[in-house]
Amino acid sequence: MEIDPMRSLSLRVGSRRTDRKAQHQQSKDAEVGLKSSGKISPDITMKIIWKKGFIRLVLVAGILWMLLILAALLFQVWTCQSSVTFISGICQKDSKVFAMLDIMGLVPKPQHRCSIPVLDDPDAVVIPEGRTPDIIPKNLSYITVDDSVEADSKPLFGGHQTWAQRADSFKLNSTMKVHCGFMKNGGGDMDPVDVNYVKRCKFVVASGIFDGYDTPHQPANISLRSRKLFCFLMVVDEKSLEFIRNNVTVKEDSKGGQWVGIWRVVLLRNPPFDEPRRNGKVPKILTHRLLPSAQYSIWIDGKMELIVDPLLILERYLWRGKHTFAIARHKHHRSIYEEADAIKRRKRYARPLIDFHMKIYLYEGMEPWSSTMKKTPSDVPEGAVIIREHTALNNLFSCLWFNEVNLLTPRDQLSFGYVVYRLGEAFKLYMFPNCEYNSLFILHRHTREHSSVIEWVKSLDEFRNNSTGLKESRGGLGLWTPYPGDLDSVQLPIVKRTSPAG
């Protein structure tokens, strides 16, 4: 007799279910029997004991760790606030106790971002009347022609500044005339339509893209008042302009001006330098030369997206504290020698050129930063955001800062602290916390990695002889012009890294 296939399958499934129920019932009966007889297998007993003991151990360890953290934090607060000098010294960063607490993870770390104490309403910001008076210098002018250079010498954007002229430029006087880029026929030219446009710019947000490794990022949270008050200028070279046109929409107005969203794109023709990094320093540092009508400027690097209204930034970092120059502290470094070490370690520039740069500064008296020796909170800025009023002294500082970038390496964070040191107490600046700096913008990645042939220099002789064609023809003049001092005897200080991430 044939059996229906579906019925056969149903019988098999039912049989398996019956077997499983029987097995479950047998194990349940066995368990009940063990309980009723009062006998449990020794193996099962040990497993239960170990399981409960492990759970208790974890709970006790967690409670003890939390109590240890609380005790350490309370101890740190008490020692730092103690009136006894010996006890309060324990909380110093160079103390052994502080180092032990840091290794154990018991030292609170600074926040990457923090709230900025800005006003809520840009319309409520009161713009100061007039400008900060100039004291020293009162009259600042610029050298635009090298009179002492041979007639057949090639014009340079930064000029042929001598070491003697460099030394004189740091001597403050009521009337001063210094090198400050934009030498006649040296490059860095703007189109006439852009020259006419920037004449109307009193309040400026400026940025720049060179060598085509960024695209403009539109600022966010910009009030209607700031849109009317500020010029948003994006300075680019021809390579970057072509890259931008291929990736975002560029519109042209009736007068020939080019726009990407809120940004007015300003083309800088005839790039001043071979090295793109130096070209980027022209609008960044010499903003007052590129935009001579500007009274206030906020510089942001091209890879950044501004997310705070610029009026609120000026009110917070300049007007509220009556400052004229504001820049953030570096996140990790305070000493330029530590910053130089990090640049070499990360292969961000040729090592022998960085060492030569630092030897000059050490020879000229620039000591490593320390809290006891220096009045500024750091010698190393986070230079991607610069907020300034264009006073004569600030303009002089920018010129001297640029001249260091022009003469030596384009790593401007190394030069910044040196110029502050040379100008002394005459130049006052506000260095705000790095966590606030990180709350002003959103950082975007470059479209590609930046590099140049100069980074492959492995020795000073190779650079000076130019046997491999690595020497720049228009910048870094101080690196291959004989320095009027004995640098062979200079020993760079041993760098102690204060941050593993730095």
Side-chain angles (χ1 to χ4, degrees), residues 25-37:
Q25 186 64 37
Q26 288 175 2
S27 89
K28 193 172 183 181
D29 292 342
E31 189 177 328
V32 171
L34 285 170
K35 288 181 179 180
S36 62
S37 62

Side-chain angles (χ1 to χ4, degrees), residues 11-12 25 78 84-85 112 129 133 138 146 150 156 172 206 226 245 250 258 292 368 409 422 439 444 455 466:
L11 289 172
R12 288 199 297 272
Q25 186 64 37
W78 176 75
V84 181
T85 305
H112 180 63
E129 296 182 4
K138 285 188 175 182
D146 285 318
E150 296 81 3
L156 299 177
L172 293 177
S226 290
R245 283 173 173 164
V250 179
Q258 301 180 86
T409 71
R422 289 299 300 266
S439 299
H444 296 272
E455 296 175 3
N466 202 28

Side-chain angles (χ1 to χ4, degrees), residues 189-198 200-201 204-210 212 214-219 230-253 255-269 283 290-291:
D189 307 313
M190 286 195 300
D191 289 337
V193 63
D194 293 324
V195 172
N196 291 329
Y197 178 81
V198 301
R200 60 175 285 269
C201 298
V204 177
V205 175
S207 187
I209 298 174
F210 289 82
D214 285 305
T215 55
H217 303 286
Q218 296 303 312
F230 282 83
C231 293
F232 292 81
L233 304 176
M234 178 66 67
V235 184
V236 301
D237 58 3
E238 293 181 351
K239 182 176 181 179
S240 299
L241 181 57
E242 181 181 359
F243 179 80
I244 292 171
R245 283 173 173 164
N246 292 333
N247 288 275
V248 297
T249 302
V250 179
K251 296 183 178 180
E252 187 170 319
D253 61 27
K255 297 181 180 179
Q258 301 180 86
W259 299 83
V260 176
I262 199 173
W263 292 109
R264 168 69 177 238
V265 179
V266 176
L267 176 61
L268 204 64
R269 296 189 183 276
L290 198 67
L291 313 170

